[in-house]
Amino acid sequence: MKHLKLPFICLFALVLTFSCSSDDSDEPFVPQRSFDDVRQDFSEIDFTTGNNDIALLNHFNFVWNFRVIMPDVDFTNNNRPLIITLHGGVLINNPDAHKQTDCYAEPGFESLDAIIISPNADQLAWFHSYNVEQVLSLVDLAVEFLPVDPTKIVVNGYSDGGNGSWYLGETRSSYFSAAIPMASTYGSYNQNGSARVMPIPMYAIHGENDELFPLADIEDWITDTNAAGSDVTLEVAPNLTHLEPCEYVSYLQNASNWLENYVWN
């Protein structure tokens, strides 16, 4: 769905307690829906085994487009891990970007029998407040209405999505038990130059020949943050480049084993 730019200005002005309008009047922008409306709509979705492609009108009257990959689940047992997987190429106008993560996320996390949610970034960075709101809202909705174990929620992503998983794992750690960034770049430092501690365990996967985000850069960052007290594992994928995300399945399978045997054990 193509959105006009002005409503986004209104959205974030509202968050900052300012107001704006789509014309020159003094009338403030007021959402016509509440989050309870969104909850109601989500609760009425008939999720089936396999891919469920959803367009959900949110509480700011914009549409969140996302895919939910459902295993064959018993809705009476709330024991499934939840994986939030974030796509790359966020600045590219691709309405189906969130559907392209399944080539690595679905087989990579297969052993976990997890529920996987892949949202569309809508041409905004994952650390943009619009997408932070989207991701955390989808987590809340999934925990409330799907058979999710709230102690086994993971944020994962590739490229821009990997950067987003670092950011959300650092800044919204209460939502997640671990983060699995792939083919990413990151660095979070204090004013004195010391690296910040990542508050949850992380498993970073990076191609040896990544031409967009050089391996040396992420190695330096992980060395620095681990020295500060973080728990970050780096797995290097030999010979792999940045533009072949579907080739990273076996490394996500290793990360799945790490979740089961180290993080959730």
Side-chain angles (χ1 to χ4, degrees), residues 106-121:
E106 187 170 7
F109 293 117
E110 183 178 12
S111 67
L112 303 179
D113 211 20
I115 297 169
I116 301 173
I117 298 181
S118 178
N120 193 295

Side-chain angles (χ1 to χ4, degrees), residues 23 55 79 103 149 164 215 218 225 230 259:
D23 53 31
N79 59 357
C103 76
D149 182 342
L215 173 61
I218 203 68
T225 192
S230 298
L259 287 171

Side-chain angles (χ1 to χ4, degrees), residues 138-160:
L138 291 176
V139 171
D140 286 338
L141 291 167
V143 169
E144 183 172 6
F145 296 109
L146 298 178
V148 168
D149 182 342
T151 69
K152 295 181 178 180
I153 302 175
V154 175
V155 60
N156 157 250
Y158 194 90
S159 189
D160 288 328

Side-chain angles (χ1 to χ4, degrees), residues 206-208 210 213-223 234:
H206 208 90
E208 179 184 27
D210 192 312
F213 298 143
L215 173 61
D217 292 346
I218 203 68
E219 286 178 324
D220 288 345
W221 156 243
I222 291 173
T223 296
L234 173 64

